[in-house]
Amino acid sequence: AKGARIAGATIRESATVSAIETRNGRITGVVANGEHIAADVVVMAAGLWSRALLQPIGVSLAQYPCEHMYLIADIAQALALM
């Protein structure tokens, strides 16, 4: 974020983005808190909501909610059973 600000980017935190706006196949901005915000570049950092925001503009994001699973094993014991 610091590098982006140094390069001239504006970062709006805690904004509720309801739509991404496009024209001629290019992103032109977003609608956040009911206000149109024009942008040449939009960084998608919406986490789990990214897929829903991108779908209306024809971008299919292979992202689904899932529970993380972890497996803890005793490798020495597993090798001994082989």
Side-chain angles (χ1 to χ4, degrees):
K2 181 179 179 181
R5 285 187 179 104
I6 290 170
T10 300
I11 299 173
R12 296 189 183 201
E13 297 181 56
S14 301
T16 302
V17 175
S18 57
I20 297 174
E21 296 186 328
T22 62
R23 186 178 323 131
N24 298 324
R26 295 189 52 90
I27 292 175
T28 57
V30 298
V31 176
N33 300 333
E35 172 190 1
H36 169 76
I37 301 169
D40 295 327
V41 176
V42 173
V43 176
M44 178 58 66
L48 188 58
W49 295 271
S50 298
R51 186 169 192 247
L53 284 169
L54 292 171
Q55 190 174 14
I57 63 170
V59 177
S60 178
L61 183 63
Q63 179 189 37
Y64 299 92
C66 68
E67 184 176 335
H68 294 280
M69 301 293 229
Y70 298 93
L71 175 65
I72 300 171
D74 183 345
I75 299 301
Q77 183 179 9
L79 291 174
L81 295 174
M82 296 180 137

